[in-house]
Amino acid sequence: MDFESIPWMLILPLVVIQFILMLVAIIDLIRVSNTNGPKWLWALIIVLGNLIGPIIYFIIGRRNE
Amino acid sequence: MVSNFSILFQKEWRENVRNFKILWIPLVFLLFGITEPLTNYYLPQILNAVGNMPEGTVFPFPEFTPEQIVMSTVSQYQFIGMLVITLGFAGIISRERKNGTATFLYVRPISYTSYVYSKLSIMCILVVGSVILGLLANLYYTNVLFGAVDVGAFVGFLGTYIVWLLFVVSIVLFTSAAFSTAIASIISLALVLFVQFIDALLGAYWTISPWKIPMYAGYVLNGSVDKKPFIWSLIITLLAIVLLIFGAVYFAKRNISKTKI
């Protein structure tokens, strides 16, 4: 599949939403004082974890107590 | 009583803005609503690009109907979405008991009913709102890539699925009122995910069950629902929701009076 034939109008919202989700997770990670496990590891998971990384951070990494 | 509720609700709202739940929960449902039709549509190309297939390999890919795409999105919601809801809100009442916020109820004339209702409302807004947002985006993508879904059937499906969501919300609320955060997450996960699995495995023997509501929602979408077991499941589920909420108020009250001040 060449570059021209990719339907960017359909893909773009996905990329934007994923980026916002990652950004929100990173901002949250910077603001909270404590996470379950080391912070740098969560930063890696959020950035490299693609779609699922930020979600895993929010449900497991974030200490809700 | 009414002003109590609005004060408590504003507190809940501020808290969920501050911990970003108001942002990330809708985004997660939106994300899966969009990815599901896209990946299903482009699966042949994706496999060709990454799969190292020999030239000219042809797969007999099944032709999906628009309804199948919507239902495969729902099955994503039924796993990842339910995980987000149960784990994300397991501490909604138990956390406040632990950190002492809840003791303010003990020294002020605020009713436990409005306390629990404020929690219930914020959860309903977040969960139901996010799922509606995600499913509307999903409907749009499915419409563009796979074809139109009957609007009447979709509304019926959405209404049915919202009943299931309210059931999940009331389970989480009840367990959080009755137990500590850790135990509440385990019990609500078991009640939502594990029982659903069991029901899917052995459920051929009965037709009336709250855990069958998502399945019936799919039948409503296809226009092939058997009315009698469907209506009875809805009634049982609504009854269970009411009982769980009353239970949540009872346990919230009992457990706060047990905590040391």
Side-chain angles (χ1 to χ4, degrees), chain B residues 37 39-45 47 58-66 68-69 72 145-146:
Chain B
T39 45
N40 275 310
Y41 189 78
Y42 289 106
L43 197 61
Q45 281 97 321
L47 281 183
V58 180
F59 283 105
F61 281 105
E63 291 280 318
F64 292 115
T65 66
Q68 278 172 323
I69 299 299
S72 90
L145 298 172
F146 292 90

Side-chain angles (χ1 to χ4, degrees), chain A residues 7 10 13 28 31 64-65, chain B residues 18 20 42 95 98 141 181:
Chain A
L10 288 180
D28 189 71
R31 284 202 328 184
N64 286 314
E65 292 297 325
Chain B
R18 227 180 300 135
F20 288 133
Y42 289 106
R95 183 183 59 231
K98 202 178 171 197
Y141 271 76
T181 307

Side-chain angles (χ1 to χ4, degrees), chain B:
Chain B
M1 169 86 180
V2 174
S3 63
N4 265 347
F5 173 79
S6 78
I7 291 166
L8 288 166
F9 180 75
Q10 281 165 23
K11 170 194 159 289
E12 287 306 312
W13 183 265
R14 272 197 304 274
E15 210 168 281
N16 283 286
V17 169
R18 227 180 300 135
N19 64 23
F20 288 133
K21 276 204 179 106
I22 207 95
L23 217 56
W24 73 265
I25 292 182
L27 286 177
V28 169
F29 282 93
L30 211 52
L31 207 58
F32 283 101
I34 293 177
T35 5
E36 202 57 24
L38 272 179
T39 45
N40 275 310
Y41 189 78
Y42 289 106
L43 197 61
Q45 281 97 321
I46 294 170
L47 281 183
N48 270 335
V50 299
N52 250 338
M53 295 294 161
E55 265 318 297
T57 318
V58 180
F59 283 105
F61 281 105
E63 291 280 318
F64 292 115
T65 66
E67 287 81 12
Q68 278 172 323
I69 299 299
V70 174
M71 282 322 287
S72 90
T73 312
V74 167
S75 65
Q76 292 282 351
Y77 286 181
Q78 282 303 95
F79 182 64
I80 297 165
M82 294 307 117
L83 222 57
V84 165
I85 297 169
T86 45
L87 295 180
F89 289 104
I92 191 159
I93 292 175
S94 53
R95 183 183 59 231
E96 300 202 329
R97 217 160 38 224
K98 202 178 171 197
N99 69 17
T101 319
T103 41
F104 81 102
L105 274 173
Y106 214 59
V107 290
R108 281 186 198 165
I110 289 172
S111 85
Y112 293 92
T113 315
S114 29
Y115 173 70
V116 170
Y117 280 5
S118 72
K119 304 274 182 198
L120 179 68
S121 330
I122 196 78
M123 270 184 89
C124 284
I125 290 172
L126 273 176
V127 170
V128 176
S130 302
V131 170
I132 289 178
L133 209 64
L135 283 175
L136 286 179
N138 180 254
L139 189 65
Y140 173 76
Y141 271 76
T142 306
N143 201 15
V144 170
L145 298 172
F146 292 90
V149 175
D150 181 60
V151 175
F154 184 79
V155 171
F157 148 78
L158 196 60
T160 312
Y161 194 57
I162 287 173
V163 173
W164 161 257
L165 292 174
L166 294 180
F167 179 59
V168 173
V169 164
S170 51
I171 286 178
V172 175
L173 201 65
F174 175 81
T175 51
S176 189
F179 310 104
S180 72
T181 307
I183 296 171
S185 358
I186 294 168
I187 293 179
S188 53
L189 262 184
L191 280 177
V192 174
L193 287 180
F194 188 66
V195 176
Q196 188 183 215
F197 176 71
I198 298 291
D199 197 295
L201 212 63
L202 307 171
Y205 299 108
W206 58 89
T207 52
I208 298 166
S209 142
W211 288 273
K212 282 200 163 54
I213 294 284
M215 188 186 83
Y216 284 132
Y219 291 166
V220 172
L221 189 65
N222 285 319
S224 63
V225 72
D226 188 359
K227 287 253 162 47
K228 206 176 165 201
F230 171 58
I231 300 285
W232 274 109
S233 296
L234 278 184
I235 292 171
I236 298 276
T237 309
L238 289 171
L239 215 64
I241 292 170
V242 172
L243 284 178
L244 283 165
I245 292 169
F246 275 128
V249 175
Y250 171 77
F251 277 109
K253 191 173 185 172
R254 207 189 71 163
N255 285 345
I256 290 173
S257 57
K258 277 202 307 192
T259 44
K260 292 194 198 89
I261 302 172

